[in-house]
Amino acid sequence: MRPTPHVLLALLALGSPGCGGEGADALVVVGLTTDMAIGFEIDAIESTTKVDGVITRAERLSYGSSGLSLPAEIEIAPAQDGAKVELSVAAFRDGEAAPVVKRTVATRAAGGRRLLLPVSLDAACSGVACAAGATCAAGMCVDPFVDPSGLDDHDPTWIASASDACKTRSSGDPEIVMGQGESAFAPLEEGEVLPIEAGLQGGHHVWLALRVAGLRQMGLRLTVGGHFPELAFELVPFTALVALRRAGEGRCEIYGIRFRVDRGLPVESVRGQALDVEITLEDPNGDIATAAQRIVIAP
């Protein structure tokens, strides 16, 4: 499992001399989203913001340093009424010099308004080369300029309903299906016998996995607990922050969940025993899904 920050990232773009000043009350907030899985399909993002052609900020954020989480906001402020505001952003995989996708977008600041400028990094744009003056969105080359009259005012609650790699508008209610596997998801039948492995730091564990729908890709809190009914013994639950891997249209997965089954018990006492496993996933929006299943520890 790869840990991920539980908080949403806020990037504050600082105005440089000549770009703000007295009377600069026009604000633009970029709402940055992606349908690619952070930490798996994207590992770093480089962004540059400009106001009237002057660079106000250039930054690189990476998942490995816990600095990258999407959806996120990039606030460009302040600016004069009518100032041209631009963002260029490129997403990279680890060890690759060429970006997976690139996107540019521009608008004009509107005096007295705080605009929300939606920008998505789309998997459909991977490998798409657009002519100069155009940018790729949803797999098509389009004009990067968005007229401010077509933009909504910024509402911070947008981020709760934004789509990401795992939680889309069509993904339905939160749901998890329990499976098994260290390096891939495999089905798990009720009462199936699972082998246990000795851990490097002591104890013995089984490998569990989940297939997930309707929950965000990043910042999920995973809780795993278990009960041995014949031993009348409750295993102490463990929690971790996790990120999901996209596994096809409308679903995501996590595997390699190591659940210790002999914490507080001699390992010989759990062999051949039924174990009722309970798993909960909660995403940053507070949406929750649970799964419960009985397994049997191999004799």
Side-chain angles (χ1 to χ4, degrees):
M1 294 178 291
R2 303 181 68 177
T4 181
H6 190 54
V7 297
L8 295 169
L9 172 68
L11 303 176
L12 300 180
L14 304 178
S16 61
C19 296
E22 186 177 351
D25 61 349
L27 308 176
V28 176
V29 178
V30 173
L32 187 61
T33 61
T34 184
D35 62 352
M36 293 179 283
I38 305 297
F40 301 97
E41 296 167 280
I42 295 177
D43 293 286
I45 284 179
E46 293 181 355
S47 63
T48 303
T49 59
K50 294 181 181 180
V51 176
D52 280 339
V54 177
I55 295 176
T56 58
R57 189 162 189 170
E59 188 165 23
R60 178 181 176 92
L61 297 172
S62 68
Y63 176 75
S65 63
S66 300
L68 177 61
S69 179
L70 294 181
E73 293 186 350
I74 302 175
E75 183 173 308
I76 308 171
Q80 300 285 349
D81 181 30
K84 186 175 183 180
V85 174
E86 301 170 84
L87 170 77
S88 61
V89 60
F92 298 83
R93 294 191 184 97
D94 266 349
E96 296 185 4
V100 180
V101 294
K102 295 189 297 184
R103 180 77 190 272
T104 59
V105 67
T107 190
R108 291 199 178 276
R113 293 188 65 193
R114 183 182 181 93
L115 301 174
L116 176 64
L117 179 59
V119 178
S120 60
L121 298 171
D122 303 317
C125 290
S126 179
V128 176
C130 296
T135 191
C136 183
M140 300 177 61
C141 292
V142 299
D143 187 340
F145 185 80
V146 181
D147 194 285
S149 64
L151 296 176
D152 292 329
D153 289 332
H154 173 255
D155 179 346
T157 62
W158 75 270
I159 213 161
S161 58
S163 294
D164 68 6
C166 298
K167 191 172 191 173
T168 67
R169 291 176 176 82
S170 60
S171 57
D173 293 334
E175 179 184 21
I176 56 176
V177 176
M178 197 182 307
Q180 59 180 310
E182 178 183 2
S183 57
F185 176 93
L188 179 63
E189 299 296 329
E190 181 76 11
E192 186 169 343
V193 177
L194 290 187
I196 57 175
E197 295 184 10
L200 295 177
Q201 297 179 347
H204 295 75
H205 58 267
V206 294
W207 292 108
L208 301 174
L210 295 173
R211 185 159 283 167
V212 184
L215 293 172
R216 289 211 171 281
Q217 189 249 329
M218 303 190 71
L220 298 111
R221 182 172 294 276
L222 169 72
T223 304
V224 185
H227 175 74
F228 286 105
E230 296 301 320
L231 301 177
F233 188 87
E234 196 83 18
L235 290 171
V236 176
F238 84 88
T239 63
L241 293 179
V242 300
L244 303 177
R245 179 188 295 269
R246 192 166 62 162
E249 190 65 31
R251 72 177 192 273
C252 286
E253 293 175 348
I254 181 173
Y255 42 77
I257 302 171
R258 183 167 54 190
F259 183 38
R260 183 174 171 180
V261 297
D262 62 344
R263 187 181 300 277
L265 289 169
V267 66
E268 294 305 322
S269 70
V270 305
R271 295 187 187 276
Q273 292 288 332
L275 173 61
D276 295 327
V277 180
E278 296 184 356
I279 297 182
T280 300
L281 269 182
E282 180 178 1
D283 75 8
N285 288 4
D287 289 328
I288 298 174
T290 62
Q293 198 156 334
R294 173 166 290 188
I295 63 172
V296 176
I297 306 302

